[in-house]
Amino acid sequence: MAKKAETVLDLNKVRNIGIIAHIDAGKTTTTERVLYYTGMIHRVGEVHEGAATTDYMEQERERGITITAAAVTAGWKGYQVNIIDTPGHVDFTAEVQRSLRVLDGGVVVFDAVAGVEPQSETVWRQANNYNVPRICFVNKMDRTGANFWRCVEMIVDRVSGSPVPIQMPYGEGPDFGGIIDLIEMKLITYGNDEGTDIQEHPIPESYREQAETRRQEMVEKIVENDDYLTEKYLMEDEVTNDELLGALRAATIAGKVHPVLCGSALKNKGVQLMLDKVVELLPSPLDVPAIKGTHPKTDEPLTREASDHQPVAALVFKILTDPYVGRLAFFRVYSGVVRSGSTLMNSTKGERERVGRIVRMFADRREDVEEVHAGDIAAILGLKETFTGDTLCDPNNPIVLEKISFPEPVIELSIEPNSKADQDKMGIALRRLAEEDPTFKIEVDDKLGQTKIKGMGELHLEVLVDRMLREFGVQATVGRPRVAYRETITRSVRQDTTFKRQTGGSGQYARVVFEFEPLTDEDRKLLPPGEDFLFVDAIKGGAIPKEFIPAARNGVRDALQGGVVAGYPLVGIKATLVDGAFHEVDSSEMAFKVAGSMCLKEGAHRAGPVLLEPTMKVEVVVPEDYTGTVVGDLSARRGTIVGMEPRGAGTTSVRATVPLGEMFGYATQLRNMTQGRGSFTMEFERYAIAPQNIADEVVKGTR
């Protein structure tokens, strides 16, 4: 039975952190060690054995990867640490996005051999967007080819970070024997394989000179962020270790520096030291700025301090369907106290919700609690109307917190139930899975009578179909994956459209004149994240009454769903309503909506419409002997080689951008080309105009 995490009500002693990184950097193994050393589990489970605590789904254990972010609460030296172990695979990037939205700090895990990989860049960027302070843990120091200092350089080169190594390895690869603490200037080694017998020694002579040089560099980087210490340092007065740690903590929380630690989670080295630095350097809920929101009716800006005495404000960041207890809503309390049995307002939807059972999560196990305080993370059972990104608040003091933005799906496939019974079950299963995952979209094609599911990649959809089969018992036939193309326009047009219909009695009349043009970078700055359509009302002199203008806008927005090249959604369009006309009797909202829709369809045909295809950032790591073959194959797939660099241990990293449509089945092809020794990662980069021959194939349906 897992030990209960001690409840700490002093907010200064709470840490909400995420373990974030590229796939295979060792996040889950690191989390597993954290649970072991904090006493939450009594036996370490290994990812490669399918026994890791936070990888509790069958699909995770079979594939040896994390699919869903798992929340765990642990205690360390009097501190309460809420940890979210996030996925590294690009297909599950939404899990990282929503976790970072509610976290105060992050531990970014890097593979000491591979360094900064593409998904590391993505999660780093996401952490920048949410201003999440972070420390870096260079893992796998025991692997052949491990290179700590190269990894530190890559943090600067690849993600423009400000790494400050506060440790350095004592030996690398198979010779990795311990960690040199550059603040305390001591060597830490381990007397047993479990990592519980921690021993301290003076730094050996062979490493002393290097350690002193590296400490000097560390001190200079820390003091330059603190005026008082800079002055003290320049006057050659001694800067104490406590002063260094205080300045380092302030600079870390401000996002100016990123402390770097090292170790090997698999070999149980360095994890306790990393935990020490989590509580010493990362912020408590009191150290981060007060959460901002708006009043649901007036849009007036509001803030909530992290205090139990403020009105309740909480954000739901994840929904999980549990086959035994129903729907779990994970939430972060920003202010106030959420109590079991109380009633809260879902201010996003304007609905009241009764708080049933509140549980503190331990991966897939739960522990009931009566109340959750400001700054804490837990889950509620039984909410009916509340989903990802919704705000729960005090009904008498409503506030809407900023929603979480998610990327659009880039891949789709058709799915057909095998029987009538499966059809009913499939509808329920798809709805439940879509509630859990905001990047999973369902679309029913009325023309073909077909259900399409859309997601972030082949693996994403494969896992969801697998869950449908196992958790909901749905037998279905799945079509081959297809690319989620988009369409856009390439030039500006002015379109004058009149909709007139006489059907006896009052008719329908609306005239709209729109100017359609491609969105510019300046236009995009005016839009909220994820939005790709800008509407501008430029009507003068009441040519169209105010009440009809939203209808015209909605008509254009609806028409964007089906483009004019191959029926894919239109994106990147600015629509300026410049003129129009109405009839005192025959005009209506419906007439202006239809006119807006017709206007876009007609205008888009004349505006140089083109097909857009998703382009992926691909990194392939292969033995040097196969580099030429891999480069040739990527070029044949319409890829553009961006760069190549040696990766140590006789391997080369090839970076390229390749259209997604050319990458289906690449995993098998790469295995065949490299005798199973190559690996690759892929993430969405941008939509680009597809060549005419590809567009023709898509229009004909042969692609």
Side-chain angles (χ1 to χ4, degrees), residues 53-294:
T53 309
T54 51
D55 282 356
Y56 55 86
M57 290 167 61
E58 284 178 46
Q59 291 84 353
E60 294 177 309
R61 292 183 166 169
E62 286 169 6
R63 290 170 176 81
I65 61 167
T66 302
I67 289 168
T68 181
V72 181
T73 301
W76 182 252
K77 297 187 177 177
Y79 286 78
Q80 177 180 308
V81 185
N82 296 320
I83 303 162
I84 298 186
D85 171 30
T86 63
H89 198 287
V90 63
D91 285 14
F92 308 104
T93 191
E95 291 287 335
V96 185
Q97 198 106 330
R98 56 173 156 204
S99 302
L100 285 170
R101 172 71 173 78
V102 297
L103 293 169
D104 299 325
V107 178
V108 188
V109 182
F110 294 105
D111 180 328
V113 179
V116 179
E117 300 172 271
Q119 189 63 11
S120 317
E121 295 177 46
T122 305
V123 295
W124 193 277
R125 237 183 1 256
Q126 289 170 329
N128 284 344
N129 291 344
Y130 290 116
N131 298 317
V132 176
R134 64 216 86 133
I135 62 176
C136 306
F137 180 61
V138 179
N139 188 28
K140 304 193 178 184
M141 285 305 309
D142 58 306
R143 280 185 62 201
T144 303
N147 189 328
F148 177 74
W149 299 108
R150 178 172 156 276
C151 202
V152 171
E153 284 167 21
M154 287 178 82
I155 293 171
V156 179
D157 297 342
R158 288 274 184 100
V159 295
S160 306
S162 304
V164 177
I166 57 174
Q167 296 174 349
M168 60 177 268
Y170 177 56
E172 291 183 332
D175 300 327
F176 178 58
I179 295 155
I180 294 171
D181 183 329
L182 296 176
I183 293 176
E184 302 283 345
M185 285 303 276
K186 62 189 179 189
L187 168 65
I188 294 147
T189 61
Y190 296 83
N192 62 7
D193 289 342
E194 288 75 48
T196 49
D197 179 13
I198 300 175
Q199 300 170 356
E200 295 181 4
H201 319 268
I203 297 173
E205 278 307 312
S206 55
Y207 273 81
R208 178 157 287 282
E209 189 183 336
Q210 188 191 357
E212 283 171 353
T213 306
R214 296 295 185 181
R215 177 184 163 83
Q216 189 72 18
E217 292 170 2
M218 175 195 77
V219 171
E220 286 172 7
K221 281 186 180 167
I222 295 172
V223 299
E224 70 185 21
N225 293 290
D226 185 297
D227 293 343
Y228 168 69
L229 290 187
T230 303
E231 193 179 325
K232 203 172 174 185
Y233 180 71
L234 292 173
M235 299 295 288
E236 297 190 358
D237 289 349
E238 190 198 345
V239 179
T240 67
N241 288 346
D242 286 348
E243 286 175 324
L244 273 178
L245 271 173
L248 181 60
R249 181 170 202 268
T252 303
I253 291 171
K256 293 176 183 171
V257 300
H258 307 108
V260 186
L261 303 95
C262 62
S264 167
L266 188 66
K267 294 292 165 63
N268 304 308
K269 289 175 181 170
V271 177
Q272 297 100 315
L273 303 178
M274 184 264 286
L275 268 173
D276 288 342
K277 292 299 174 268
V278 163
V279 299
E280 284 172 22
L281 301 176
L282 288 178
S284 74
L286 296 175
D287 294 317
V288 293
I291 191 76
K292 293 182 177 142
T294 54

Side-chain angles (χ1 to χ4, degrees), residues 348-590:
T348 314
K349 302 242 173 64
E351 303 273 352
R352 285 181 174 251
E353 287 274 27
R354 188 176 176 281
V355 178
R357 275 173 67 195
I358 303 178
V359 293
R360 199 178 285 295
M361 295 302 293
F362 178 73
D364 59 338
R365 285 176 276 169
R366 291 167 288 275
E367 164 196 313
D368 283 272
V369 289
E370 285 304 308
E371 55 187 36
V372 185
H373 295 255
D376 217 342
I377 289 174
I380 301 176
L381 280 158
L383 296 182
K384 293 193 168 52
E385 302 296 329
T386 302
F387 298 102
T388 299
D390 288 356
T391 302
L392 294 172
C393 61
D394 179 342
N396 300 320
N397 294 277
I399 184 172
V400 178
L401 303 177
E402 186 191 342
K403 284 181 81 76
I404 310 170
S405 61
F406 294 104
E408 284 296 307
V410 293
I411 191 168
E412 62 182 43
L413 48 81
S414 60
I415 183 162
E416 301 281 345
N418 287 358
S419 67
K420 180 75 178 75
D422 283 320
Q423 188 166 3
D424 299 338
K425 283 194 286 187
M426 188 173 93
I428 295 165
L430 290 175
R431 197 168 61 250
R432 293 261 174 85
L433 293 170
E435 284 171 3
E436 281 187 32
D437 186 345
T439 57
F440 175 55
K441 300 277 198 299
I442 306 151
E443 190 181 284
V444 178
D445 188 328
D446 294 328
K447 284 182 252 172
L448 299 174
Q450 218 179 39
T451 301
K452 285 189 208 158
I453 56 176
K454 300 182 177 186
M456 299 307 295
E458 286 181 272
L459 180 64
H460 185 203
L461 293 180
E462 180 192 312
V463 165
L464 288 163
V465 170
D466 194 34
R467 286 187 61 195
M468 255 178 27
L469 172 65
R470 296 192 197 190
E471 292 173 32
F472 300 94
V474 177
Q475 300 288 339
T477 305
V478 178
R480 67 184 182 86
R482 290 176 55 206
V483 176
Y485 293 101
R486 297 277 185 275
E487 296 178 22
T488 194
I489 57 174
T490 55
R491 58 175 180 260
S492 303
V493 295
R494 184 183 176 99
Q495 181 65 40
D496 186 335
T497 297
T498 303
F499 171 62
K500 193 190 294 185
R501 184 164 292 166
Q502 205 63 44
T503 52
S506 65
Q508 297 281 3
Y509 177 83
R511 174 176 167 248
V512 290
V513 182
F514 271 100
E515 284 178 359
F516 298 112
E517 56 194 305
L519 273 183
T520 64
D521 290 342
E522 288 304 308
D523 293 331
R524 289 180 201 280
K525 288 175 187 169
L526 305 172
L527 293 168
E531 186 63 63
D532 218 13
F533 165 62
L534 179 62
F535 172 81
V536 179
D537 173 9
I539 289 292
K540 292 192 173 62
I544 298 175
K546 284 251 178 291
E547 65 267 24
F548 294 147
I549 289 172
R553 180 194 62 208
N554 292 339
V556 173
R557 188 181 281 281
D558 287 353
L560 291 171
Q561 297 312 308
V564 295
V565 178
Y568 288 99
L570 274 157
V571 296
I573 290 179
K574 177 180 178 180
T576 306
L577 182 57
V578 291
D579 200 2
F582 71 104
H583 187 279
E584 290 289 351
V585 177
D586 290 353
S587 286
S588 65
E589 285 188 13
M590 178 54 73

